[in-house]
Amino acid sequence: MSVEPEVPIVQVEEVRENPVLYKIISSDNHVFTISEHAVKLSKTLWDLITNLGLTAENALDNPIPVENVNGKNMETIVQFCERHKYDEEEPEYTNYIREFVLPEWDRQLLSIDNEELFQLILATNYLDIQKLMDYCCRVIGDMAKDKTPEELRIIYGIPTDAEDDALERSASDSPGPSG
Amino acid sequence: MENSNSFPLFRLPRIVIEEVMRTMTPFEMINFSMTSSRFKFFVKSYLSYKRNSKYTISFATTEEPFVSIKGSEINFEFRITSDEKKNGNKEYLEYMGRDKTERIWVYSEDVVDDWMKLVRTAKEIFTFNYHTFYFKLDKFPESNRSIVDFLKTQTESIDWCEFHGKTGSDTNVEYFFNNITVIDYVAICSELSDYFLFPRVDYAGHLAIVYGNWVTFNQLLQFKSHEITIYNSQITNHELNMLLLHWMANECHQNLMYLTINIKDPQSLETILNLPHEIVNSDVERTGRLSNNKTISLQGGIDIKRNDGMTGTIKFEWRLDELLLKMLITRIQ
């Protein structure tokens, strides 16, 4: 499998310890290079690589198409994975760890508007990157801090009971498919 | 309703919403549950399936009624206040590196009503395996009965409860015990009248009475608790002697493990000990087995024997200006 890149390849930092690199193509045909240690953070991508039998020798000649993730999100994801590829495995969260503070670099990376964050989470979920998922969820959870129920309803677009009822009524009133 | 600036949480896959919930404190979960019935249902089902979701709840009708929820490590305490200036204030307390509390104040124009709403929401979404209740009887005296009625709708039993407040509380305490079952611990720290009758003599948990003026010899004989602590009682030394004789004959307090009671007349201890007993040298160490099968180390004391072989080991200790009789009941190994 070989696809000509339509846009310049995003460069990753030189990896001296492990020179194996992979190419990923986003849904809008942006091509990204990612190191082996970084790509392992994505369970989905690593499973694909394993199943496709990609090796150090043939990896760069066989870009991996990821049709569910666009270039903008893939760029963020590659940056994140390269940044955290040598992190030690973190213990599983217990509930609401007070001491946990999102690192500043990651907070900056995830300082994006709500729609972009929403799309990034869907991509992260699809690529199964637990650490990025934890961080994104932390950002979303932090939006709830010190907020009243009324403020939460606005922040997260939660309909009131009356709005939910009205939606249900209009759904049941609408004519079904004609037979 | 959703707008362009809102984060569309409900459009995420359920598993992702659950990940978001995982980052939230009970404060946020409760506030979320108050946004809509649909979200309350979601939070409730999330909490019911979550691993290690064991919580305890404490609620109190103190001056600032509160609800406190504890998961694995931290107490999250909501305080309802009538002081608008305190609204949204937060406080973090840590004691000895162990007892950690995050406290938040929420302003209310009707603190009792909003406290009830808070208890109801917490009870709806969390599963609690321990309930603690502090009843300050003189803070909202006109609401005491409705508070008990409300609690009855929320829980079948309470594990631990304490009563505080000044006189005039007999009927409230009676009403509470006639409607709510307590399992583990009762502390009556209120000053009750001399005529008060404890309505649940069959209560088997720890019974602590700070103002024991109302405890008559007959009531004392009837208590079924495994641990009894009474201060400021009017029980005479002669009655204490009678109590011990009844115990030795296995006629009362068969389940008792610990007894602490004040001695009205410290000058005549021989009246209490006018029964067969043995003084054990203070340097003699022994091991006793309690009726719950736990073992305990004993040093010295005065032994009296029950007719089934159990030993009551008595010691006398001062607490402030009261001399106390303390008896530990074990089978000596």
Side-chain angles (χ1 to χ4, degrees):
Chain A
M1 183 167 48
S2 177
V3 180
E4 279 302 309
E6 292 182 0
V7 292
I9 292 172
V10 172
Q11 293 299 318
V12 297
E13 63 179 276
E14 187 68 28
V15 185
R16 278 172 298 171
E17 301 88 337
N18 188 343
V20 182
L21 297 173
Y22 297 88
K23 274 186 187 170
I24 298 168
I25 301 177
S26 64
S27 60
D28 46 0
N29 287 328
H30 289 62
V31 180
F32 299 86
T33 308
I34 186 167
S35 67
E36 184 170 36
H37 273 104
V39 83
K40 278 182 175 174
L41 293 184
S42 162
K43 191 169 182 306
T44 305
L45 286 177
W46 187 244
D47 283 351
L48 260 174
I49 287 166
T50 311
N51 291 337
L52 290 170
L54 299 185
T55 62
E57 290 72 36
N58 64 9
L60 284 174
D61 298 330
N62 293 282
I64 305 158
V66 180
E67 292 178 2
N68 292 8
V69 181
N70 66 25
K72 191 173 174 60
N73 287 325
M74 190 61 87
E75 183 176 355
T76 305
I77 286 166
V78 170
Q79 281 182 37
F80 180 88
C81 291
E82 290 294 344
R83 174 82 179 185
H84 291 286
K85 62 189 172 188
Y86 295 130
D87 287 0
E88 284 182 15
E89 201 166 312
E90 288 175 10
E92 196 184 346
Y93 281 173
T94 55
N95 283 330
Y96 16 87
I97 295 176
R98 182 184 167 78
E99 292 77 15
F100 176 82
V101 178
L102 203 59
E104 185 52 33
W105 186 91
D106 299 277
R107 190 166 287 284
Q108 288 287 333
L109 185 75
L110 300 176
S111 293
I112 50 183
D113 72 37
N114 283 340
E115 182 56 30
E116 286 176 322
L117 185 59
F118 179 80
Q119 295 300 335
L120 179 64
I121 290 178
L122 293 181
T124 304
N125 185 46
Y126 172 70
L127 294 176
D128 200 353
I129 305 169
Q130 188 58 48
K131 191 175 194 121
L132 182 54
M133 180 60 84
D134 287 343
Y135 283 18
C136 287
C137 290
R138 187 78 199 191
V139 171
I140 301 168
D142 282 354
M143 294 176 189
K145 291 222 173 309
D146 306 330
K147 299 297 189 295
T148 64
E150 190 50 47
E151 289 167 331
L152 291 174
R153 207 177 280 134
I154 294 163
I155 291 166
Y156 295 105
I158 299 169
T160 61
D161 285 351
E163 287 166 343
D164 269 337
D165 289 347
L167 275 174
E168 260 182 46
R169 268 199 307 277
S170 68
S172 61
D173 289 347
S174 64
S178 56
Chain B
M1 185 56 96
E2 200 172 308
N3 64 43
S4 56
N5 294 321
S6 62
F7 184 87
L9 188 62
F10 260 124
R11 278 171 41 209
L12 288 172
R14 185 188 171 91
I15 191 167
V16 180
I17 305 177
E18 288 182 357
E19 291 279 334
V20 175
M21 300 302 305
R22 211 153 64 96
T23 70
M24 291 188 179
T25 67
F27 293 146
E28 287 129 26
M29 288 195 202
I30 285 185
N31 281 337
F32 256 113
S33 301
M34 290 176 167
T35 58
S36 79
S37 302
R38 190 157 66 113
F39 214 97
K40 185 191 286 178
F41 179 78
F42 183 91
V43 176
K44 188 178 172 180
S45 66
Y46 162 73
L47 286 169
S48 67
Y49 287 114
K50 198 162 74 74
R51 281 180 301 150
N52 306 321
S53 62
K54 287 189 178 147
Y55 297 91
T56 62
I57 185 168
S58 304
F59 29 87
T61 56
T62 44
E63 185 155 1
E64 290 177 338
F66 69 81
V67 174
S68 176
I69 296 169
K70 187 175 185 187
S72 55
E73 194 183 5
I74 304 173
N75 269 308
F76 290 91
E77 186 179 297
F78 292 82
R79 284 189 173 245
I80 311 286
T81 178
S82 56
D83 180 356
E84 200 167 359
K85 291 195 292 290
K86 281 187 169 179
N87 189 38
N89 281 5
K90 290 172 88 173
E91 187 173 61
Y92 179 71
L93 307 167
E94 197 168 315
Y95 179 68
M96 305 279 284
R98 281 181 286 111
D99 296 331
K100 300 172 182 175
T101 300
E102 277 205 32
R103 187 174 286 161
I104 189 166
W105 278 265
V106 180
Y107 167 72
S108 165
E109 288 178 0
D110 185 341
V111 288
V112 174
D113 192 51
D114 282 333
W115 172 80
M116 287 182 184
K117 275 185 197 151
L118 194 56
V119 173
R120 192 181 296 119
T121 306
K123 286 285 295 172
E124 270 184 79
I125 62 173
F126 290 91
T127 303
F128 296 109
N129 58 5
Y130 206 87
H131 296 74
T132 301
F133 179 47
Y134 298 89
F135 202 171
K136 198 93 163 69
L137 294 157
D138 53 1
K139 280 299 161 200
F140 307 100
E142 70 288 352
S143 302
N144 282 344
R145 211 162 249 257
S146 58
I147 287 168
V148 173
D149 292 339
F150 165 72
L151 286 181
K152 199 176 168 183
T153 66
Q154 298 300 307
T155 181
E156 288 175 4
S157 61
I158 283 177
D159 299 279
W160 171 299
C161 79
E162 286 187 17
F163 297 87
H164 297 266
K166 298 288 180 189
T167 51
S169 306
D170 293 25
T171 50
N172 290 316
V173 177
E174 273 171 19
Y175 189 70
F176 177 90
F177 281 107
N178 285 329
N179 285 280
I180 307 276
T181 301
V182 185
I183 295 169
D184 213 14
Y185 179 84
V186 169
I188 302 176
C189 310
S190 300
E191 291 179 44
L192 303 174
S193 81
D194 293 345
Y195 309 105
F196 178 71
L197 284 171
F198 186 59
R200 298 300 290 265
V201 286
D202 57 337
Y203 163 68
H206 182 177
L207 177 61
I209 299 163
V210 175
Y211 298 98
N213 53 296
W214 53 270
V215 179
T216 61
F217 180 62
N218 280 339
Q219 282 209 68
L220 180 57
L221 279 183
Q222 288 173 41
F223 291 156
K224 299 287 187 289
S225 295
H226 66 73
E227 183 166 358
I228 300 170
T229 305
I230 302 172
Y231 303 123
N232 298 300
S233 83
Q234 296 300 309
I235 299 290
T236 65
N237 288 19
H238 176 66
E239 286 171 326
L240 280 180
N241 170 261
M242 295 286 288
L243 174 78
L244 296 178
L245 286 168
H246 278 292
W247 177 81
M248 291 167 78
N250 214 350
E251 291 166 356
C252 67
H253 298 126
Q254 278 89 353
N255 299 318
L256 190 63
M257 290 193 287
Y258 303 94
L259 171 69
T260 299
I261 187 165
N262 65 295
I263 294 168
K264 201 166 172 240
D265 180 7
Q267 305 304 320
S268 59
L269 295 182
E270 67 281 0
T271 308
I272 300 171
L273 293 174
N274 183 19
L275 42 69
H277 65 273
E278 182 191 348
I279 298 172
V280 181
N281 209 318
S282 61
D283 59 3
V284 175
E285 278 189 37
R286 296 169 297 164
T287 301
R289 186 172 294 277
L290 295 158
S291 60
N292 64 8
N293 229 14
K294 289 182 181 161
T295 56
I296 192 161
S297 172
L298 301 162
Q299 190 147 20
I302 300 164
D303 281 358
I304 59 173
K305 287 278 183 193
R306 195 161 75 182
N307 62 10
D308 62 355
M310 293 297 277
T311 300
T313 303
I314 295 170
K315 286 189 175 180
F316 297 104
E317 283 178 17
W318 285 95
R319 171 189 176 264
L320 303 175
D321 58 349
E322 276 193 318
L323 183 64
L324 303 176
L325 178 151
K326 290 188 161 191
M327 182 165 77
L328 178 66
I329 292 133
T330 63
R331 190 173 291 281
I332 301 290
Q333 303 288 288

